[in-house]
Each structure stands twice: as structure tokens, then as C-alpha cells.
Amino acid sequence: MVNFCCLWFTMFCFLLHYAYNAKGSPPPKVPAMFVFGDSLVDNGNNNDLNSFAKANYYPYGIDFRGPTGRFSNGETVIDLLAKLLGVPSPPPFANPATSGSRILGGVNYASAAGGILDESGQHFGDRFPLSRQVINFENSLSQLRTMMSGRDLNQYLSRSIAIMVLGSNDYINNYFLPFLYTTSYNYNASEFANLLLNHYARQLVALYSVGLRKFLLVGIGPLGCIPNQLATSKHDPGRCVDNVNQMLGFFNQGLVKLVDYMNNGTHPGSIFVYGNVYGAIGDILNNPSKYGMSNSHTSI
Ligand SMILES: *[C@@H]1O[C@H](CO)[C@@H](O)[C@H](O)[C@H]1NC(C)=O
Ligand SMILES: *[C@@H]1O[C@H](CO)[C@@H](O)[C@H](O)[C@H]1NC(C)=O
């Protein structure tokens, strides 16, 4: 499934494994984790959708609990972060069992092929784009309102953490596919990044306005280095597709600016953090031995 940037995601998990020192469960650092994103963090929301973007079959999950819908051999970065935060990994929204007290520790809304723009990834079939993930969060919120007082709910939400991993599909499953999507005719790279960031900002404000206060906004990794792009673009052997990575730079730099803006008194009581996945994965690709690997090349 080269379409879902599994390669660098696997490396991202690997990196976190390094950071995570398993010494029993620490006390919970947050009451709940709410996850918005794409296949990098989907843990089963696409399983029952009419979609080609599914991972609920072998060999996904071979090093974990078997296939769950995670686009990974093992745990996702969310599973690892949940351990670090001392909370259970949040269950997928789309699973009917994710209701009642099971949503108290948070919910995962991520959907493979989904993007910041509603149209991104539509050639894979159904998926939950960011706008729909926010609506699904509001659905959880109405359930939570029946479980605690307004005051407790506000406190709970303000202490919880929202993790957002979005944007990859707006590039690999939209902007970079000119025969299926018109965006690259209508927008140059910086205009397209701005379009994405405007949509993103609107959804962040929506989540802030219903009470979330802590946000981790994860940037886009070096998609010019994934097999999906190496196979479709012209590049020198052993090198990543530079112009693809340059285009993502507009998004990542804009996201840093958006984080600064959101932190700059415009949204009191909140904290927004940028996750520099581009830098982290780039370092793994450039210095594999630092991470216990002998080779970081992709064989295309
Ligand atoms: C994109 O187009 C705008 C004009 O609309 C221009 O100012 C900008 O330099 C262009 N950016 C790129 C990266 O081509
Ligand atoms: C933050 O706010 C100050 C004062 O309102 C302003 O001068 C500054 O440009 C802002 N910075 C950003 C990154 O928005």
C-alpha cells in the first residue's frame, strides 16, 4: 500500500520506540486524547466503509494484535503516544462499541485517504475528511454532555489533547494527481498550501470553540522520499523527489506560522504545538545508523 506513506510512518514509529522507555504505566497526563488524521493514525475507521483504503487484512498488524485497520505492521504513533501519556489508545469512532464510558479516554476519528479538503482521496471511495471528523467529534461531545456536568466537561476538554495528522492526502491523493484532480491547474504550490491552511484553521477554531485547548499539529513528512512518489516522478537514483518536498515546505512553514498565530493571544487558554515530522524522518533517512538501521534507501 505505497499510497499511504507507510514507509516514513514506520520510521516515525521506530523513532518513538526509541524515545519510549517502557517502565510500567505512568499516571495519566491527560484525561483524554482525540485524534484527527489520515492513514498514518487510522485505527479502524475505514473498516466498514466502501473504500479501497483499508488495512483490516493480513499482513497488516502481523506484529500487533493482527489486522485492526491500522496501516502498519504494529502499533501506530498514537498507540505509542498514548503509552507516554498514560492513557489507553483511543478507540475508532466508527466502531459501534465506541460508546458510553468507552469514549471517556478519547476517540480516534482518523480515516485513511482523508484530507484537509473534502475531495482529497475520493478516488479511493468513502472516507472521513477533516470536516467530517470534526462533526464526528461533536457527536462524541453530545454523548459526553450526558455523562458529566458542563463545568466538568469544560475542564475535561481543556486538559485533553487533540492530535492532528493531516495534509499528506491533499498532496499525494489530490495535488500530485493532475489527471484526477484540478487543484494543480488552479493553484500554484504556495497558493495550494494557503488553501489547505485556511481550511485547517477553520476546523481548529471550531474545535477550540467547543472547548479543546491543547493541540499537537503534525506537519507533513518528506513525501518526496516515499515509494509512491519515487515510482511516479523523475529523480536521480537514490535521491528523493526534491520538487515534491519543496512544495510540502510551503505547507509546513505555513503550519508553523499558523501555530504561532493561534498561540499569540488570539485563542486564550490554549496551546498549539507543531510536530516536525519532516525533520524527524529526514534525520532518519540521512542518518540511519543513529537509529540502529544500516540502510534507509527505498529500492526504486
Ligand atoms: C504563486 O502565485 C502568486 C500569484 O498569485 C505569486 O505571487 C507566487 O510567487 C507564486 N508562487 C509560486 C511558488 O509559484
Ligand atoms: C503576535 O502579536 C503581536 C502583538 O499583537 C504582533 O506584533 C505579532 O506580529 C504577532 N505575531 C504573530 C506571529 O502573529
Side-chain angles (χ1 to χ4, degrees):
M1 275 290 191
V2 293
N3 291 310
F4 303 109
C5 27
C6 291
L7 175 73
W8 68 260
F9 180 56
T10 304
M11 291 180 173
F12 187 33
C13 290
F14 188 76
L15 183 74
L16 271 181
H17 260 304
Y18 257 67
Y20 174 59
N21 186 4
K23 278 190 188 140
S25 323
K29 293 190 166 65
V30 293
M33 256 173 103
F34 296 98
V35 179
F36 303 84
D38 52 30
S39 61
L40 298 174
V41 292
D42 187 350
N43 65 345
N45 284 306
N46 279 27
N47 288 357
D48 297 319
L49 292 185
N50 183 12
S51 167
F52 291 114
K54 296 194 196 207
N56 55 346
Y57 53 89
Y58 185 82
Y60 292 109
I62 46 168
D63 299 318
F64 188 47
R65 310 194 308 239
T68 58
R70 287 166 174 78
F71 290 75
S72 167
N73 61 311
E75 293 172 302
T76 72
V77 66
I78 297 300
D79 300 316
L80 301 173
L81 278 174
K83 282 184 200 165
L84 285 169
L85 293 170
V87 295
S89 189
F93 175 82
N95 188 328
T98 303
S99 67
S101 61
R102 289 207 178 103
I103 72 172
L104 281 171
V107 178
N108 185 332
Y109 307 93
S111 172
I116 295 168
L117 300 183
D118 287 354
E119 66 176 34
S120 297
Q122 68 190 1
H123 60 288
F124 283 104
D126 293 341
R127 72 239 164 268
F128 300 116
L130 175 60
S131 62
R132 179 62 192 277
Q133 294 182 32
V134 170
I135 290 169
N136 289 345
F137 171 75
E138 284 163 0
N139 177 309
S140 302
L141 207 49
S142 27
Q143 293 179 59
L144 288 165
R145 282 194 190 103
T146 68
M147 293 183 230
M148 55 183 107
S149 72
R151 201 191 143 146
D152 287 351
L153 181 60
N154 280 342
Q155 201 161 70
Y156 162 94
L157 290 173
S158 68
R159 288 183 183 157
S160 296
I161 184 166
I163 299 175
M164 328 260 314
V165 183
L166 288 143
S168 296
N169 287 312
D170 298 291
Y171 285 93
I172 58 175
N173 290 312
N174 183 336
Y175 197 67
F176 297 156
L177 297 179
F179 44 93
L180 290 176
Y181 298 86
T182 58
T183 46
S184 61
Y185 302 110
N186 297 331
Y187 306 97
N188 70 26
S190 83
E191 291 166 336
F192 185 64
N194 286 336
L195 176 77
L196 296 180
L197 292 162
N198 285 337
H199 279 256
Y200 207 167
R202 224 172 293 152
Q203 300 302 336
L204 292 175
V205 169
L207 293 173
Y208 175 86
S209 70
V210 292
L212 287 175
R213 291 292 179 269
K214 296 178 201 284
F215 295 85
L216 171 60
L217 308 185
V218 176
I220 304 180
L223 298 179
C225 306
I226 67 170
N228 167 293
Q229 290 304 306
L230 295 175
T232 56
S233 310
K234 284 194 187 135
H235 62 99
D236 298 331
R239 286 192 52 87
C240 301
V241 189
D242 288 336
N243 76 318
V244 162
N245 284 341
Q246 275 159 20
M247 286 191 229
L248 307 173
F250 290 109
F251 179 86
N252 285 336
Q253 284 151 28
L255 190 56
V256 170
K257 284 202 190 112
L258 178 60
V259 162
D260 286 345
Y261 169 77
M262 300 298 279
N263 281 329
N264 198 8
T266 50
H267 297 82
S270 64
I271 176 157
F272 291 80
V273 171
Y274 171 70
N276 183 9
V277 167
Y278 192 97
I281 303 299
D283 194 46
I284 296 176
L285 291 174
N286 292 329
N287 306 295
S289 61
K290 211 166 127 184
Y291 300 90
M293 289 187 279
S294 56
N295 181 345
S296 62
H297 296 294
T298 46
S299 55
I300 290 185

